[in-house]
Amino acid sequence: MPKTAIGVSLRVSNWGRLTTLALVGLGLFALVSHPDAWLAIAGLPLILVAAWRWYLDFGPAAPAYLLFEDSECRVLDRSGRELARQPRVLWWSYLWLALELPGRPPGFKAWLIWPDMVSAEERRQLRRLLKRS
């Protein structure tokens, strides 16, 4: 029996970008507008964490392709390098899929596929494959 392979291309999410930018922007505004300067300096690590998260989710190391072969799932980046083999599914619904990528640092392992990242056909394939596993 030939191996069956289904690949889902993961484009950069507009919802993910907007949400991340809005949260970071609100945090920056709160830190800058606070009257105590020490609080703005103490909040600088939060901005660095947000920048690191942006790099992991939308930069060159971002997941770009989900490949299902038989019962095995792999996540690849833009260059074709494997990011995770058999990522754990944390939560899925009709629109969203949250994966845990084991190769990431602690605190950055969860990755969410937003509704505008996959087409309706790819979403249907994902639901069918996730119901089987």
Side-chain angles (χ1 to χ4, degrees), residues 15-17 19 35 48 59-60 93 95 103-104 109 115 120 126-128:
W15 283 107
R17 281 186 181 178
T19 303
L48 295 175
S93 72
L95 295 175
R104 287 191 172 185
K109 290 181 185 266
L126 275 175
R127 278 199 318 269
R128 189 178 65 222

Side-chain angles (χ1 to χ4, degrees), residues 20-84:
T20 304
L21 281 176
L23 289 174
V24 170
L26 284 172
L28 260 172
F29 177 74
L31 288 175
V32 171
S33 65
H34 198 277
D36 293 330
W38 65 270
L39 192 61
I41 293 170
L44 188 60
L46 293 175
I47 302 303
L48 295 175
V49 166
W52 181 248
R53 183 67 193 212
W54 180 272
Y55 174 76
L56 287 175
D57 287 346
F58 304 112
Y65 200 70
L66 205 58
L67 182 66
F68 293 95
E69 289 181 311
D70 290 333
S71 61
E72 186 177 289
C73 174
R74 294 184 300 167
V75 179
L76 307 172
D77 67 0
R78 289 188 186 126
S79 65
R81 194 181 70 216
E82 185 174 296
L83 293 176

